[in-house]
Amino acid sequence: MNDDETHRSRAEYVADWLELAILRGELAAGERIVESVWAERLHVSKTPLREALRVLDSKGVVTSHAYKGTVVRSIDQTAARHVFEVRLLNEPEAVVRAIPFHDAASLGLCEEALAAARDSGDGQSGLADRSIANRRFHTLLYRPCENAHLRRILDEIQDQVAMISVAGWRRHATWVDEECEHDAILDAVRRKDTELARDLITKHISGFFSRLDS
């Protein structure tokens, strides 16, 4: 592994770790991420840490300010609604377009993601693990879609969706209903029932936000 690859892998490791800390509530919305503290905690230099923060900034997980430094993004109800509107406009179509290209291997990965979500606990760590597994499930559903632009739109909001999901679950424990909805969506995809899949995933996305907004 050359120096660039080593730097990139360290930055990716730090970005993943910081996001997990945010999902677990170890870093709260609006909290400043002190570079020296986290560099020491993660046993890395400030260079990969800063690169990781730039990655998270581009994903909408953190925001950078000239005087405050980098802080965990606070996603209010309006911002959350906008994220879910983007999902609602794009994800059902992407999943439907992906259906003809799913095979046993890709469906197996979807099943593994759902199993990982079911095996997650209910505590802060469990909610974070569940959110990551659910994010992976949704990403795997539309990954075979041939429209790279459509995939990119959805990829760019997945981290924000994970943050919104965890925040919602802390208020309302809705994941049991969501597990059943995920199972039904995957079954429709497996049977290549495009209209049912579109209907189920549309109801799933809009239903979660309705519960979050209640």
Side-chain angles (χ1 to χ4, degrees):
M1 182 181 291
N2 60 39
D3 290 341
D4 287 341
E5 290 173 331
T6 301
H7 169 70
R8 187 163 54 250
S9 64
R10 285 178 181 169
E12 290 169 350
Y13 160 76
V14 173
D16 289 344
W17 211 103
L18 286 173
E19 185 175 1
L20 189 58
I22 291 168
L23 292 176
R24 286 175 173 170
E26 296 173 23
L27 281 165
E31 183 175 347
R32 181 168 172 259
I33 300 176
V34 182
E35 292 182 3
S36 58
V37 172
W38 284 94
E40 181 178 356
R41 182 171 178 178
L42 298 176
H43 308 291
V44 296
S45 69
K46 288 186 179 180
T47 300
L49 180 66
R50 287 170 180 164
E51 178 61 29
L53 292 176
R54 282 194 288 270
V55 169
L56 294 179
D57 192 352
S58 70
K59 292 180 176 182
V61 176
V62 302
T63 54
S64 297
H65 303 275
Y67 301 105
K68 291 175 62 177
T70 303
V71 300
V72 178
R73 185 182 176 196
S74 179
I75 303 179
D76 60 22
Q77 205 75 352
T78 299
R81 182 179 293 108
H82 291 167
V83 169
F84 272 72
E85 285 174 353
V86 171
R87 285 191 73 193
L88 204 53
L89 287 168
N90 293 281
E91 191 168 332
E93 181 65 24
V95 171
V96 165
R97 292 187 179 208
I99 284 176
F101 304 103
H102 271 293
D103 56 22
S106 64
L107 292 172
L109 291 175
C110 291
E111 291 169 356
E112 289 176 10
L114 291 186
R118 282 192 294 269
D119 291 341
S120 303
D122 299 341
Q124 294 295 332
S125 178
L127 293 183
D129 292 342
R130 184 184 302 276
S131 182
I132 291 169
N134 282 350
R135 177 181 61 185
R136 177 168 171 74
F137 169 71
H138 280 274
T139 302
L140 287 167
L141 278 182
Y142 66 72
R143 179 177 287 173
C145 172
E146 288 189 313
N147 189 321
H149 298 289
L150 193 53
R151 294 198 312 271
R152 190 176 301 114
I153 289 170
L154 291 166
D155 287 344
E156 287 176 354
I157 64 168
Q158 285 298 338
D159 296 83
Q160 295 175 59
V161 169
M163 293 172 69
I164 294 166
S165 297
V166 169
W169 290 335
R170 288 179 185 137
R171 291 170 49 194
H172 306 292
T174 62
W175 53 78
V176 174
D177 292 335
E178 288 156 35
E179 284 179 1
C180 295
E181 292 168 5
H182 284 157
D183 289 337
I185 291 167
L186 182 57
D187 185 60
V189 170
R190 187 183 293 109
R191 292 189 286 109
K192 300 191 181 299
D193 189 332
T194 56
E195 290 309 308
L196 180 59
R198 184 191 299 275
D199 182 57
L200 289 174
I201 200 159
T202 298
K203 289 179 179 177
H204 172 68
I205 295 169
S206 58
F208 176 82
F209 192 77
S210 295
R211 292 190 290 265
L212 181 64
D213 206 25
S214 62

